[in-house]
Each structure stands twice: as structure tokens, then as C-alpha cells.
Amino acid sequence: MVLAVRSAQLGRAKQIAGWLAATMTLGTVFLVIKGFEYHHKWVHHLIPGEGFHIAGTTDPAAQTFFVLYFCMTGLHALHMIVGLGLLAFLVPKALRGEFSAENHNWVEGVGLYWHFVDIIWIFLFPLLYLLGRHHA
Amino acid sequence: MSTVHVTPVRTYLLVFFALMALTLLTVGAAHVNIAHHLPGQMTDAINDAVAMAIAVTKATLVILFFMGVWHSARINKVVVWSSFFFLFVLFAFSLADYFSRGWLGVPGK
């Protein structure tokens, strides 16, 4: 993403589109991995509700954790889908040469949004996947 | 936007690799019971504190370089850091409730 912004600052239209597409590819890979992860949770009865079941615990906190897990990762995925939509909107604009060194606020703005979503994941990853792991 | 600073690719690569290294570090640190390796009576919370300290470091790198705050005007820096400061204040107030809830006995609980 930053390399797309950099290309925009230098007014290199084709490069902007290339880096935006690269960002979209990596973003999509992330969402596909999330999809497999959700499917895995489904298969193992980890969706909160009637069918929820973890071997060896009846602690209601376990369900609370998975409610938080799905809300947080789901909202993050939604943010990413919005981001991918914005990137998809910018690629043809970049290819048409609409951005230049003097006019690329769209690229800068979407870049800021994308990195904001990035920061959310920097905090969600340790909170949801790592804390408490040293007990296991 | 004509006086915009163009950061060299090298800087972005360095930041990227630093972020990756910190990700590995936080995953590694999560598997170690840090309190066992320190002298004195440390609580388990030290692991959580280390994970969050690494996350804050990573977020700072993203804000400074990927969001371009490092090379932006002083007024932008004031806005960005004061925003994060107040976000932190809001989190602190919320967490103060969670941490202190068990301190007083609640009748009927």
C-alpha cells in the first residue's frame, strides 16, 4: 500500500495500479484464510449458541470468548471488504492516469484507511490468539 | 501537497521487516511463561503486558512511517498523537471498571 502511495507521489500511474493490485491480492489471501478459520470453528462446534461445545469445560466464559472472537474478527473482515472495494475503485482510476504527483489525495486517503485497519489487527492478533497461551 | 516528502523504498522495507520480526517475537513470547523467568513475585499479567507493549511498538511504526506522520507537518503530529492519547484515556476508563469490579462485594452476587 505504501508503495502505491509512493508511486502516486512520484506520479507513476501504472505503478500505482500494480501496487494497489498487490495490496488487494494480499488482503484477499487474508480473508480466505479467515474463511478457512471460520469453517474450522464451525466444524468443531465453536459457534456460540445451542450447539456450542468444548471438550473438558462448561465454563460460560468460553462462549463469551468466541462471541468476542467472531464480533472482533467479523468487524475487522467487514472493514477489510470495504477497503478492498475502495482499492478496486482506485485501480481503474490509476490506469486512466487520473492520479499525478499533484493530485493523488484518493490514494493517500485510502492508504490511511488501510493502515488504520492494519493497526486494528496488530492489537486483535495478540489479544485473540496469543494471550493465555503460556498456560497451555 | 507539492512539498510532500517521498520516503525511500529502503525505509519502507526496513519498517516491514521490523514489523515481521516483532510479530515473530510476540508469537515466541506468548509461548513462554515470562513470570517464571523473572526474580520475585511476578503475576501472569506480565505476558499480557509484553504482548501489548509489542503491539504498541508495531502500531507506532505503522503510524510514523506507513501513515507518514514522521515527515508530516507539526500540526498533523499534534492532531494524531492527541487523538491516540484520548483514545487511550477512553480505554483506560473502560478498563478501570473491569479491573476494579471484583474489589467490592456485591450483595446477591
Side-chain angles (χ1 to χ4, degrees):
Chain A
M1 188 68 235
V2 281
L3 293 171
V5 174
R6 185 174 185 276
S7 306
Q9 289 168 344
L10 295 169
R12 298 173 185 164
K14 289 284 181 295
Q15 273 187 24
I16 303 172
W19 288 120
L20 289 177
T23 308
M24 289 182 72
T25 310
L26 291 174
T28 310
V29 168
F30 181 91
L31 286 180
V32 170
I33 294 173
K34 265 276 99 62
F36 280 117
E37 219 180 280
Y38 275 21
H39 177 253
H40 188 257
K41 300 275 184 297
W42 171 262
V43 171
H44 291 267
H45 308 286
L46 294 176
I47 313 288
E50 295 238 339
F52 187 85
H53 173 74
I54 295 183
T57 182
T58 49
D59 189 348
Q63 269 203 66
T64 310
F65 171 80
F66 280 97
V67 170
L68 277 170
Y69 168 86
F70 281 108
C71 287
M72 294 290 147
T73 56
L75 187 60
H76 183 256
L78 204 63
H79 274 124
M80 284 194 63
I81 291 165
V82 170
L84 287 173
L86 287 167
L87 290 167
F89 168 71
L90 290 191
V91 170
K93 276 169 106 63
L95 286 175
R96 281 198 299 270
E98 286 187 28
F99 304 124
S100 63
E102 292 75 33
N103 174 21
H104 57 267
N105 282 349
W106 262 109
V107 188
E108 290 269 10
V110 172
L112 286 178
Y113 172 79
W114 191 257
H115 290 122
F116 140 73
V117 181
D118 184 5
I119 291 171
I120 301 290
W121 187 247
I122 286 176
F123 285 99
L124 283 188
F125 174 67
L127 284 174
L128 294 176
Y129 293 80
L130 298 179
L131 292 193
R133 190 148 284 212
H134 62 282
H135 295 299
Chain B
M1 299 293 282
S2 54
T3 55
V4 70
H5 176 94
V6 180
T7 307
V9 175
R10 209 180 100 86
T11 309
Y12 288 140
L13 281 177
L14 278 174
V15 173
F16 174 78
F17 286 119
L19 289 171
M20 288 298 128
L22 286 167
T23 305
L24 291 178
L25 182 69
T26 193
V27 171
H31 292 274
V32 180
N33 195 335
I34 299 170
H36 282 183
H37 298 273
L38 290 173
Q41 288 292 306
M42 296 294 270
T43 65
D44 267 12
I46 189 82
N47 263 76
D48 306 1
V50 168
M52 285 302 99
I54 295 173
V56 168
T57 311
K58 287 173 70 184
T60 308
L61 282 174
V62 171
I63 293 162
L64 283 179
F65 297 101
F66 288 178
M67 291 176 135
V69 171
W70 186 276
H71 289 289
S72 69
R74 193 167 286 178
I75 186 69
N76 294 353
K77 289 179 192 174
V78 171
V79 171
V80 168
W81 294 123
S82 57
S83 302
F84 279 101
F85 172 73
F86 283 106
L87 182 66
F88 171 78
V89 169
L90 292 175
F91 280 141
F93 277 130
S94 305
L95 285 174
D97 178 37
Y98 285 106
F99 281 127
S100 58
R101 235 175 236 203
W103 292 1
L104 294 174
V106 179
K109 190 184 165 190

